[in-house]
Amino acid sequence: QVQLQESGPGLVKPSQTLSLTCSVSGASVSSGSHYWSWVRQPAGKGLEWIGRIYISGSTNYNPSLKSRVTISLDTSNNQFSLKMYSVTAADTAVYYCASNDYYAGWLDPWGQGTLVTVSS
Amino acid sequence: DIQMTQSPSSLSASVGDRVTITCRASQSINTYLNWYQQKQGKAPKLLIYAASTLQSGVPSRFSGGGSGTDFTLTISSLQPEDFAIYYCHQSYSTLMYTFGQGTKLEIK
């Protein structure tokens, strides 16, 4: 079955760049039937969609984050990545990657999530 | 942006109860509505997609309904493992997905 796994630093300093990678197994990121999304969740709060990417390279981003976010694909390693620039403490959250149905947009499955703390 | 509003925000119920959670969209989203269950410290799990289709492996006591702006998630007979937070999610706007604020289902 499809599995996703996030990886990356758990601690990032303010004003620096948050970089996370999502490794996909059981499916190809080159598949035309999926987008690949990132979602985050601050402690004790709800879910916030960050953005998604398709094999064509097409991306969609949350307008509130668009100026600071880049999502990219690495087809050779079957991964996709998130970069968030100029982070602040407000970006502290659990970050999830998820497979995103191309036609109707549901998110399934999700990675287990990784906590990123922004602190000096 | 399409705003998603869930009600109630929290709910206390007993094992065996029938419960319904409501999600309202700020504009019509057809049936591009999905429901997730999240347990403490875990990733969200897809329960229902396209408003009423049960995801494979999800117990049949879960059901979803609605279209347009008003949607429901119903659990017909609560089990101990169902106590969790439930989120709705609209995937109608491909430019910007949004989630409801969540409904916390607690044991009475």
Side-chain angles (χ1 to χ4, degrees), chain A residues 12-88:
Chain A
V12 181
K13 288 182 167 52
S15 80
Q16 295 194 341
T17 298
L18 177 161
S19 295
L20 295 175
T21 295
C22 182
S23 298
V24 180
S25 60
S28 171
V29 297
S30 301
S31 164
S33 60
H34 296 93
Y35 281 88
W36 304 96
S37 273
W38 288 95
V39 177
R40 70 179 182 177
Q41 184 174 38
K45 297 190 177 180
L47 301 164
E48 180 180 36
W49 179 74
I50 298 170
R52 67 179 190 176
I53 189 166
Y54 188 59
I55 181 57
S56 65
S58 171
T59 52
N60 301 107
Y61 297 117
N62 185 323
S64 69
L65 299 171
K66 186 174 184 176
S67 64
R68 299 194 294 125
V69 169
T70 299
I71 297 175
S72 58
L73 272 178
D74 178 357
T75 56
S76 60
N77 289 304
N78 212 36
Q79 298 174 332
F80 62 106
S81 297
L82 170 70
K83 289 190 185 296
M84 184 176 291
Y85 310 100
S86 304
V87 297
T88 70

Side-chain angles (χ1 to χ4, degrees), chain A residues 41 52 100 104 106-108 111, chain B residues 36 38 43 49 55 91 94 97:
Chain A
Q41 184 174 38
R52 67 179 190 176
N100 189 176
W106 60 80
L107 297 164
D108 181 71
Chain B
Y36 304 85
Q38 187 178 35
Y49 61 92
Q55 172 67 337
S91 50
T94 57
Y97 289 160

Side-chain angles (χ1 to χ4, degrees), chain B residues 7 25 39 42 44 47 60 83 86 108:
Chain B
S7 60
K39 295 184 179 179
K42 299 294 187 182
L47 297 177
S60 59
F83 293 93
Y86 293 85
K108 183 181 287 184

